[in-house]
Amino acid sequence: MTITEDTQHTGDGGWRERFDAMIAADERIEPRDDMPDDYRDTLVRQIAQHAHSEIIGMQPEANWITRAPSLKRKAVLLAKVQDEAGHGLYLYSAAETLGTSRAEMLDLLHEGRQKYSSIFNYPTLTWADVGVIGWLVDGAAITNQVPLCRCSYGPYARAMVRICKEESFHQRQGFEILHVLARGTPAQREMAQDAVNRWYWPSLMMFGPPDAESAHSDTSMAYGIKRFSNDELRQKFVDMIVPQAEALGLTLPDADLVWNERRGHYDFGEIDWSEFKQVLKGNGPCNRQRLERRRAAHADGAWVREAARAHAANRAARTREEATP
Ligand SMILES: [Fe+2]
Ligand SMILES: [Fe+2]
């Protein structure tokens, strides 16, 4: 695509050339730099969606904190869910540098006008689901996010560096849960396999629609936000998880999964995009529950925001008093 002209920044005629040159030279754009509106809009949409996914993603796993099979598992899961809250906060902060407030983004989420990843609209039915979320869902997230550490927008790229380090812990944590279950009793093995069967296809959908149908991909690629296409990332992910599934002794529920010598990649089956579209439209198994929980949590936290505002106002008043001779 061609990067669109933008005429709103009239103060200095040279800003657009500077911006394009920086993108071409693979330099980082910072909040102080002039940028085209479609660059800013694309980033706000993507970072907000990413932040929302981190905090909505806490729900399916939090479902198992009180029922984790041991104190150690409980402590690990608590720490992991807390990491996800932290990811949400870094990302909201990164988006705020583009001029959209966190309160605004949360309102858009609560009104259903900004999205979060559809994967979190599936339920966590057994303890093995916690393992599979770590292995496949955090695994897909890493595949997606490692290239974002080199994204053209500085604050987003820097947030991703720390997030990716934590995500790789999450993935190993999930793999280890499954490793133990897969070598446990026949019932535990079966539970692990059942969870893999339910999450495999939704995890492939996490990379978004096929390249030919992806609405925002072109702009993101042209601006150096996205470095690989949805289909390239999905292939990378499949190539990564096949040997890992073999190491676990678990089967991926895909009859067409086979090594393709010529391509040097695994071939895999056709994704049921009608399911993806249904979940995206709000008709997944947990869409309504997730948003209701999120809205309720936001309402329950109103007193904290109010107290923080009062505290900030008191402090500002005290500072002013101290400053007056
Ligand atoms: Fe995360
Ligand atoms: Fe994670």
Side-chain angles (χ1 to χ4, degrees), residues 54 84 87 138 163 167 170:
E54 300 283 356
E84 306 299 5
H87 298 173
D138 288 291
I163 291 177
E167 293 300 355
H170 297 172

Side-chain angles (χ1 to χ4, degrees), residues 1-304:
M1 69 154 254
T2 49
I3 293 175
T4 54
E5 248 351 281
D6 189 306
T7 49
Q8 288 187 7
H9 309 254
T10 44
D12 167 10
W15 73 267
R16 181 65 209 229
E17 286 70 26
R18 271 201 306 281
F19 174 86
D20 290 341
M22 283 173 81
I23 294 286
D26 205 11
E27 283 170 33
R28 297 290 89 91
I29 307 293
E30 295 297 336
R32 62 170 179 269
D33 295 324
D34 273 322
M35 57 187 88
D37 291 341
D38 59 346
Y39 180 74
R40 189 185 298 275
D41 295 345
T42 301
L43 277 168
V44 169
R45 188 184 53 245
Q46 181 172 335
I47 303 175
Q49 178 169 335
H50 192 166
H52 299 328
S53 304
E54 300 283 356
I55 57 165
I56 297 268
M58 295 165 75
Q59 292 184 34
E61 294 187 286
N63 184 33
W64 283 92
I65 289 175
T66 54
R67 292 176 288 161
S70 71
L71 186 58
K72 182 186 124 186
R73 295 290 185 198
K74 190 195 287 262
V76 171
L77 183 56
L78 258 177
K80 196 241 182 205
V81 172
Q82 194 174 308
D83 280 355
E84 306 299 5
H87 298 173
L89 296 184
Y90 315 151
L91 289 164
Y92 284 125
S93 301
E96 283 191 315
T97 64
L98 293 158
T100 306
S101 75
R102 183 163 133 199
E104 228 172 301
M105 289 181 270
L106 283 170
D107 285 345
L108 289 170
L109 169 67
H110 298 151
E111 291 160 12
R113 289 164 57 209
Q114 268 178 353
K115 291 192 171 66
Y116 58 90
S117 174
S118 278
I119 192 81
F120 300 118
N121 291 315
Y122 290 87
T124 41
L125 304 179
T126 69
W127 170 252
D129 289 41
V130 173
V132 175
I133 288 187
W135 176 43
L136 293 182
V137 176
D138 288 291
I142 295 169
T143 309
N144 238 323
Q145 291 169 11
V146 165
L148 289 173
C149 297
R150 295 189 292 117
C151 130
S152 60
Y153 189 56
Y156 192 28
R158 288 189 289 274
M160 291 322 301
V161 173
R162 177 159 172 190
I163 291 177
C164 284
K165 286 191 176 149
E166 293 178 350
E167 293 300 355
S168 57
F169 268 118
H170 297 172
Q171 197 201 12
R172 276 179 245 178
Q173 171 261 168
F175 185 87
E176 200 262 341
I177 289 176
L178 290 176
H179 195 261
V180 170
L181 291 176
R183 277 156 188 72
T185 64
Q188 286 174 321
R189 222 197 117 65
E190 206 175 297
M191 185 167 83
Q193 184 60 58
D194 168 65
V196 171
N197 293 349
R198 282 181 290 108
W199 289 89
Y200 170 76
W201 291 105
S203 75
L204 295 192
M205 296 174 199
M206 280 178 73
F207 297 92
D211 294 347
E213 293 163 32
S214 176
H216 303 300
S217 260
D218 285 356
T219 320
S220 283
M221 295 279 258
Y223 281 140
I225 300 169
K226 233 178 131 93
R227 302 283 178 171
F228 298 98
S229 75
N230 294 356
D231 288 332
E232 285 171 327
L233 291 166
R234 193 168 7 250
Q235 181 70 64
K236 227 183 241 241
F237 176 66
V238 170
D239 291 346
M240 175 181 82
I241 62 172
V242 172
Q244 291 176 349
E246 281 165 11
L248 287 170
L250 297 171
T251 318
L252 296 171
D254 184 346
D256 298 317
L257 201 56
V258 62
W259 177 253
N260 183 323
E261 192 66 54
R262 187 182 49 81
R263 293 200 308 123
H265 291 292
Y266 284 94
D267 289 339
F268 53 96
E270 200 68 48
I271 294 171
D272 177 5
W273 291 109
S274 63
E275 175 183 326
F276 177 77
K277 283 174 192 149
Q278 277 306 314
V279 181
L280 204 63
K281 271 209 300 212
N283 303 325
C286 301
N287 296 57
R288 194 177 302 174
Q289 179 190 337
R290 299 291 187 241
L291 260 188
E292 271 169 17
R293 277 289 287 280
R294 176 87 272 289
R295 287 194 200 105
H298 191 69
D300 289 347
W303 69 272
V304 180

